[in-house]
Amino acid sequence: MSSRALRRLKGKRRGQEALDCGDLTLGDSPEEEQAAAEEEQLDTANVSPQITGKGSGRKAKKNKAQKNFSNIYELICDVDNEAPDEEAEKPDENKTSGVEKTDNRDIEKTDQKQEEASKKSLSGGDRVKKKKKKKKTKATSEDGQEAVPDDNIDLLLENLKQPNGLSLQNEDCGGSDRRAVLHVEHRNLNPETELKRYFGARAVQGDQRPRQRNRHFHRSTWMTSPKDSWPRFSRPGISMTLLQSKDGIQFFTFEHNRDYQQVQFKFLDAVESMDPNNIVALLQLNPYHIDSLLQLSDVCRIQEDQEMARDLIERALYSFECAFHPLFSLTSGTCRLDYLRPENRAFYLALYKHMMFLEKRGCPRTALEYCKLILSLDPDSDPLCMLLLIDLLMLRSREYQSLLQLYQDWEEHRNLSQLPNFAFSTALCHFHLSQQEDLDPEDSDKRRRKADRMLQDALIMFPGVLMPLLDLCTVQPDATVTSHAFFGPKSQIGQPPALAELTALYVGRTCNLWREAAVMLWLEESVKEVLRRVTAEDPFVEDCQNKRKQRYQSAPRNIHRHVLLSEIKEAVASLPLDVTSQPVMGFDPLPPLDSVTSYTRPERRCKYCCLQSTLSLFFRSLLPNFNLQEDDMEVARAGQELNQEVNRLMVAMRDMLANIRFQEPPRDDNPYRDEEEWD
């Protein structure tokens, strides 16, 4: 069969061959290169026996012409890359891969076969030599072209490995690299990833198939998966702005447009009305208003409608993510949101509530990822005090090394050992590591001794943790422990207020971690050793007692905010009176005292609410002339008139009560007389 027939069978024409895609890629796999070499050998073997002297000359010209059309790199190398041919003849063993070597060997074999076939058919060898030289030039030019992208990839990888500001470093924090501990991954933000790891993909997804009819096409997001049951999304009026970029850290903030501000004012009026139906009516008109979704989620959760409460929080997160700035990243760790701005607080609260739903749902690893995300938004201020929760999530998800790494990196500048949760959680972490079966006996003993020492120090520093912990674990302690003054009632009564708050928070949250039999036996041994050290008057006991008296006098505002969000009864009961006496709003619990407000609520809204209050309606029903004007002078004058009218009303009521005379009914002297006498 002639070469023209072969081309027709393959669907090719002269000068219209497809470009070789292998030359356009950075590198092919060894299997593809070997298959290409074998196909080339088969083509030469099938065609060469049928070629005569004149036909072979035509084929040489055709191959030369086709090669000029098919290889786009050859035209470039003939003009510009003549120098790399010399370098290609001496390839570097470190840069040249085994695939390129096999490719060159295959090319040499085909060259030898073509040379033998052409010697039989041609008298002169000039054309063969030129063809062979041309083949070598092609191979070397391909090698030269492939080496350049490899070098560029190496340079790119080296640049990526270099620190370029992505690590969570701060001058105030001693320059410690926190990216390794607080690194957030997109795939771990999806709870289905964790559920599939526990139960399998078939159990999680089931036989549910996406409906093709009446399907809403939502924007793909990382934090939540949009549902078809949600209302059609329209931008509610939230946007994100980049404020500044300093030392590799980017500061963002959310902004509300004028329409969203009007909806926000209506929401505040609905909250003051104390009627959830008003919030529902507001959401029907504005289905993606953030604060309404957060407040209504709390109402549904109180009414034990967990599914609806979780769905509302996910809708709020979806609305936030659709408003992200193009430069805002959830995983870079360099994006900051200031909690002092009211527009940003709703995002913190939505993330926190979503994290708590995930933790209750049985996804501690996903909840840990959201906890790290909240902490990375403002690691220095930590407005929601996530350091009081991250240790629990790490223990529940069995991220023991991450917990120890966080404790080691942050202990110097954050004094994590002064928090009861880290003091006990790190000791428990070392204990679990010592119980692993694949650990050497020496390493296991070393871990166990370190766990014993850390637990004893934690019990000496925070003795008020033991008795409430045993009480929640339904464990009856020994008489020697209950009667001892160190762990007795005095240890709990004599605690400073802030320490009592932290102790109640830790005990109420992590009591389930201490109910294991092995952990309880380990705790019992440590308590006995602590009593021995107290009896022996260890100087460390007195040192810890002095630290407790000096510290923990008052907790910062972020700890109070965290306790309110945790909703642990024992911890909430230990809050100071100045916190519990003020009203707490679910959409903004304990706002910062130095908030940065971008817009304020109009005063006329407040006056309107005052007019609609119960007391004002009562006075207006009694005194039709009672009215409050809008001007400040009129408001003061109206206040004076109100006092006068109230005084007049009180005087009138006193006169009315004083002048009331009750007339006694006429008495009947003969109650037993017959009724017929009246006739």
Side-chain angles (χ1 to χ4, degrees):
M1 184 180 293
S2 63
S3 58
R4 180 179 298 177
L6 285 174
R7 284 198 305 272
R8 289 180 178 177
L9 287 175
K10 293 181 180 180
K12 299 179 180 179
R13 294 183 181 180
R14 182 182 300 178
Q16 296 182 358
E17 292 80 7
L19 296 178
D20 190 3
C21 297
D23 297 333
L24 298 177
T25 57
L26 295 178
D28 295 331
S29 61
E31 292 81 6
E32 293 178 355
E33 294 183 356
Q34 186 175 359
E38 292 176 359
E39 184 178 356
E40 187 177 355
Q41 291 178 6
L42 291 175
D43 292 340
T44 54
N46 293 331
V47 176
S48 59
Q50 300 177 3
I51 297 177
T52 58
K54 184 182 288 186
S56 62
R58 291 179 180 177
K59 185 183 177 184
K61 293 180 181 179
K62 290 177 182 178
N63 290 336
K64 186 174 182 181
Q66 292 175 4
K67 184 167 61 177
N68 290 334
F69 279 101
S70 62
N71 189 5
I72 61 174
Y73 283 101
E74 186 174 350
L75 296 175
I76 301 174
C77 295
D78 291 341
V79 180
D80 300 330
N81 296 337
E82 294 179 358
D85 293 342
E86 298 178 358
E87 297 179 358
E89 293 177 359
K90 297 179 181 180
D92 189 2
E93 294 179 359
N94 297 328
K95 293 184 179 180
T96 306
S97 61
V99 179
E100 295 175 351
K101 292 181 180 179
T102 55
D103 193 7
N104 293 332
R105 291 175 183 174
D106 295 337
I107 292 174
E108 291 177 359
K109 290 180 180 180
T110 55
D111 292 341
Q112 292 177 2
K113 292 183 178 180
Q114 290 178 359
E115 185 178 358
E116 292 176 358
S118 60
K119 283 183 179 179
K120 294 180 180 179
S121 58
L122 296 176
S123 58
D126 295 336
R127 295 180 180 177
V128 178
K129 289 182 180 179
K130 289 181 180 180
K131 184 177 180 180
K132 185 176 180 181
K133 185 176 181 181
K134 196 70 175 180
K135 285 258 184 178
K136 286 186 178 180
T137 306
K138 179 181 177 181
T140 54
S141 66
E142 289 177 357
D143 293 339
Q145 289 293 330
E146 290 179 358
V148 175
D150 292 340
D151 295 339
N152 293 335
I153 290 175
D154 294 335
L155 292 175
L156 290 174
L157 292 176
E158 291 178 0
N159 293 331
L160 289 176
K161 290 180 181 179
Q162 294 177 359
N164 54 355
L166 294 180
S167 59
L168 291 173
Q169 294 181 357
N170 198 350
E171 296 177 359
D172 299 336
C173 301
S176 59
D177 187 6
R178 293 180 256 171
R179 174 176 164 79
V181 180
L182 297 181
H183 177 60
V184 179
E185 296 182 2
H186 281 130
R187 62 185 181 89
N188 291 331
L189 294 175
N190 189 1
E192 292 186 359
T193 304
E194 186 174 4
L195 293 176
K196 289 177 183 178
R197 186 166 61 249
Y198 294 154
F199 308 106
R202 185 179 297 274
V204 175
Q205 294 179 350
D207 297 332
Q208 298 179 358
R209 296 181 180 178
R211 297 179 180 178
Q212 299 297 331
R213 295 182 179 179
N214 299 328
R215 190 177 174 188
H216 299 287
F217 292 95
H218 299 276
R219 175 181 173 181
S220 60
T221 53
W222 290 107
M223 294 188 295
T224 57
S225 298
K227 301 178 182 178
D228 295 336
S229 59
W230 289 359
R232 185 177 183 85
F233 179 77
S234 60
R235 295 190 177 276
I238 301 178
S239 60
M240 179 180 279
T241 305
L242 175 63
L243 296 178
Q244 63 175 346
S245 180
K246 183 179 179 182
D247 298 334
I249 304 297
Q250 296 172 337
F251 295 88
F252 296 88
T253 184
F254 287 100
E255 291 183 350
H256 299 165
N257 62 7
R258 189 174 299 275
D259 295 337
Y260 193 90
Q261 293 176 12
Q262 298 299 324
V263 178
Q264 187 73 12
F265 299 150
K266 295 179 182 178
F267 165 73
L268 296 177
D269 295 341
V271 171
E272 291 180 355
S273 67
M274 304 297 292
D275 188 1
N277 295 323
N278 295 333
I279 302 178
V280 174
L282 182 63
L283 272 179
Q284 290 178 353
L285 299 176
N286 306 276
Y288 287 92
H289 181 254
I290 303 298
D291 288 343
S292 299
L293 293 171
L294 296 179
Q295 191 72 20
L296 191 60
S297 175
D298 291 340
V299 175
C300 294
R301 184 171 50 82
I302 294 173
Q303 296 177 355
E304 297 183 356
D305 190 356
Q306 301 295 331
E307 188 68 24
M308 187 63 184
R310 184 171 64 249
D311 186 78
L312 293 173
I313 295 298
E314 291 178 357
R315 197 195 303 180
L317 287 177
Y318 178 75
S319 180
F320 269 123
E321 193 165 0
C322 291
F324 279 174
H325 193 274
L327 297 179
F328 184 81
S329 175
L330 296 172
T331 59
S332 65
T334 59
C335 300
R336 300 287 185 268
L337 284 175
D338 193 0
Y339 194 80
L340 298 179
R341 297 180 178 271
E343 297 86 352
N344 298 336
R345 295 173 199 163
F347 185 58
Y348 279 89
L349 295 175
L351 289 175
Y352 183 88
K353 295 177 184 295
H354 185 60
M355 175 193 64
M356 297 308 297
F357 279 123
L358 290 173
E359 195 266 341
K360 294 178 181 178
R361 191 180 175 184
C363 302
R365 183 65 184 86
T366 310
L368 173 61
E369 211 69 15
Y370 279 94
C371 182
K372 294 190 292 184
L373 174 59
I374 299 173
L375 187 57
S376 66
L377 293 177
D378 194 354
D380 297 325
S381 300
D382 194 8
L384 297 186
C385 208
M386 303 309 298
L387 289 177
L388 299 178
L389 179 62
I390 191 172
D391 60 304
L392 170 66
L393 297 177
M394 286 183 173
L395 286 175
R396 288 199 59 190
S397 58
R398 299 182 180 180
E399 296 289 334
Y400 302 132
Q401 297 297 337
S402 300
L403 176 58
L404 297 179
Q405 186 67 29
L406 176 63
Y407 180 79
Q408 181 180 358
D409 294 343
W410 289 41
E411 168 62 21
E412 183 178 356
H413 61 278
R414 299 297 291 268
N415 294 326
L416 297 183
S417 59
Q418 303 303 313
L419 297 175
N421 59 315
F422 268 96
F424 284 92
S425 295
T426 50
L428 188 60
C429 182
H430 281 288
F431 175 78
H432 285 303
L433 289 175
S434 66
Q435 299 296 316
Q436 292 181 353
E437 298 179 354
D438 56 347
L439 200 63
D440 296 337
E442 297 180 358
D443 295 340
S444 178
D445 294 340
K446 184 178 179 180
R447 290 275 188 185
R448 180 60 183 271
R449 289 193 299 269
K450 190 171 184 178
D452 295 342
R453 184 176 67 255
M454 294 186 71
L455 181 58
Q456 294 171 16
D457 295 343
L459 288 171
I460 293 174
M461 184 65 192
F462 309 104
V465 175
L466 180 63
M467 299 307 295
L469 181 62
L470 295 178
D471 188 14
L472 290 179
C473 293
T474 63
V475 174
Q476 184 66 29
D478 295 337
T480 56
V481 178
T482 56
S483 61
H484 202 281
F486 189 74
F487 290 115
K490 293 182 179 180
S491 62
Q492 302 178 24
I493 298 174
Q495 287 186 128
L499 183 58
E501 189 175 340
L502 293 175
T503 300
L505 183 66
Y506 174 73
V507 172
R509 181 174 280 165
T510 61
C511 58
N512 293 328
L513 299 177
W514 296 87
R515 290 180 178 176
E516 299 180 10
V519 176
M520 192 57 63
L521 290 175
W522 169 58
L523 178 61
E524 182 181 358
E525 296 174 358
S526 299
V527 169
K528 292 180 180 179
E529 183 63 23
V530 167
L531 291 178
R532 187 192 64 79
R533 293 175 61 180
V534 171
T535 306
E537 297 181 356
D538 192 340
F540 183 72
V541 178
E542 186 178 359
D543 185 23
C544 292
Q545 185 177 0
N546 295 331
K547 289 181 179 179
R548 287 195 303 271
K549 291 180 180 180
Q550 297 175 0
R551 305 171 182 175
Y552 310 107
Q553 296 301 322
S554 62
R557 197 171 181 84
N558 59 344
I559 292 182
H560 296 329
R561 189 181 299 117
H562 180 87
V563 171
L564 288 174
L565 290 174
S566 66
E567 297 182 354
I568 297 177
K569 296 180 180 179
E570 295 80 3
V572 174
S574 62
L575 287 172
L577 184 62
D578 58 344
V579 176
T580 56
S581 59
Q582 56 181 317
V584 178
M585 298 297 178
F587 62 92
D588 191 7
L590 289 183
L593 300 177
D594 52 347
S595 299
V596 180
T597 57
S598 58
Y599 64 94
T600 57
R601 189 180 179 187
E603 292 294 335
R604 60 185 182 88
R605 294 286 181 178
C606 298
K607 293 162 190 172
Y608 177 77
C609 296
C610 293
L611 288 174
Q612 297 301 322
S613 62
T614 306
L615 185 62
S616 63
L617 291 176
F618 171 72
F619 284 122
R620 289 184 65 185
S621 64
L622 296 177
L623 304 172
N625 295 329
F626 171 72
N627 189 10
L628 290 178
Q629 305 298 327
E630 295 184 359
D631 298 335
D632 295 337
M633 298 297 295
E634 295 294 335
V635 169
R637 190 180 306 155
Q640 295 178 0
E641 293 178 358
L642 174 63
N643 294 332
Q644 295 176 3
E645 295 291 341
V646 169
N647 293 332
R648 294 174 185 172
L649 178 64
M650 296 301 295
V651 171
M653 291 181 66
R654 291 193 190 98
D655 294 340
M656 182 182 65
L657 293 175
N659 296 328
I660 290 178
R661 296 288 184 270
F662 295 97
Q663 295 182 357
E664 296 181 0
R667 298 179 60 184
D668 191 0
D669 296 335
N670 189 8
Y672 299 103
R673 66 181 180 178
D674 193 1
E675 294 180 357
E676 295 180 355
E677 297 180 359
W678 291 98
D679 298 333

